[in-house]
Amino acid sequence: MHTEHASKMPGVLAVVDGVQMAKICKPWVATLGHLAGMKSAPQYALAIDRACWQGEPVVAVVAETRAQTEDALQHIEVELEELPAVVSMETALDAETPFIHPELGDNLCFTRSLDVGNIDEVFATADVVAEAVFGFGRHTGVTLEPRCQIADYNPGDRRLTVYHSQQAPHMMQDLYCRQFGLSESDVHVICKDVGGSFGN
């Protein structure tokens, strides 16, 4: 990554890569406590060494104005090497399939077994057995309301105030404390109107 020219441009205060950002913001690990054994690789605010998904940010520019930031971005060069993609769930666990996150040891996020009887015997004695494969496009619950955050950090007293346009202020307060190493009393999350996940 080449950032020398951008960092010297008018109004630019900092050009930050993933290694520098990791010293400020801890990585997010997206696991659920009630799903024992669930695995998730650390997700950094900016990619370090490797970007794992299309659009993953690799650099951030801090400048006095938005225009100066956008001008500086035009002078940053990022050299990327294309890695093998893992795009099929059917082959994701095959021995020859590369690991998306090598540190996890495989591509399996979570497994759960449910035993409701002698399934093999039931299928073997059934009059008719129908088999089909269904394919689904990527999907997640996405709300209709737009989302926005404005944060104000006071380094003098280490207090963070965040204005949210969405719900769950208490959960977000906890997450900010974890990511930035702050105490709960120093993080204030303000949600003027707490919505209802419209459109999920």
Side-chain angles (χ1 to χ4, degrees):
M1 186 182 313
H2 304 285
T3 63
E4 296 82 3
H5 182 71
S7 64
K8 297 176 183 178
M9 293 183 64
V12 174
L13 304 175
V15 178
V16 184
D17 63 17
V19 174
Q20 295 168 306
M21 183 64 77
K23 297 176 181 177
I24 302 169
C25 180
K26 297 176 183 177
W28 163 253
V29 179
T31 57
L32 300 172
H34 65 284
L35 298 181
M38 184 177 184
K39 295 187 300 185
S40 177
Q43 299 177 48
Y44 291 87
L46 297 174
I48 298 177
D49 297 330
R50 200 166 53 99
C52 294
W53 44 272
Q54 181 178 350
E56 184 173 4
V58 298
V59 65
V61 176
V62 181
E64 295 175 352
T65 69
R66 176 172 179 163
Q68 290 170 332
T69 302
E70 293 177 349
D71 288 345
L73 281 173
Q74 301 303 313
H75 294 276
I76 293 177
E77 295 182 22
V78 179
E79 297 178 5
L80 297 174
E81 175 187 349
E82 187 173 350
L83 299 174
V86 180
V87 296
S88 170
M89 289 190 297
E90 294 184 356
T91 60
L93 300 180
D94 291 351
E96 62 273 15
T97 301
F99 297 152
I100 300 173
H101 300 287
E103 65 271 25
L104 296 182
D106 56 38
N107 290 326
L108 182 63
C109 170
F110 175 72
T111 182
R112 173 177 284 175
S113 298
L114 180 63
D115 186 356
V116 294
N118 194 343
I119 299 298
D120 292 334
E121 181 181 337
V122 172
F123 275 107
T125 58
D127 293 331
V128 177
V129 175
E131 182 177 338
V133 176
F134 298 90
F136 297 88
R138 181 179 177 184
H139 175 76
T140 185
V142 180
T143 52
L144 295 176
E145 71 260 24
R147 302 201 170 189
C148 179
Q149 298 175 352
I150 299 176
D152 178 23
Y153 178 68
N154 187 325
D157 55 13
R158 287 179 54 83
R159 288 185 61 85
L160 174 67
T161 302
V162 184
Y163 296 88
H164 271 227
S165 66
Q166 67 265 24
Q167 56 184 337
H170 301 94
M171 178 185 73
M172 296 308 300
Q173 179 193 36
D174 175 62
L175 292 177
Y176 289 132
C177 292
R178 294 186 198 184
Q179 303 308 106
F180 297 110
L182 300 170
S183 63
E184 286 193 15
S185 60
D186 292 332
V187 178
H188 190 196
V189 178
I190 300 172
C191 295
K192 182 178 179 182
D193 296 306
V194 177
S197 297
F198 307 109
N200 270 0

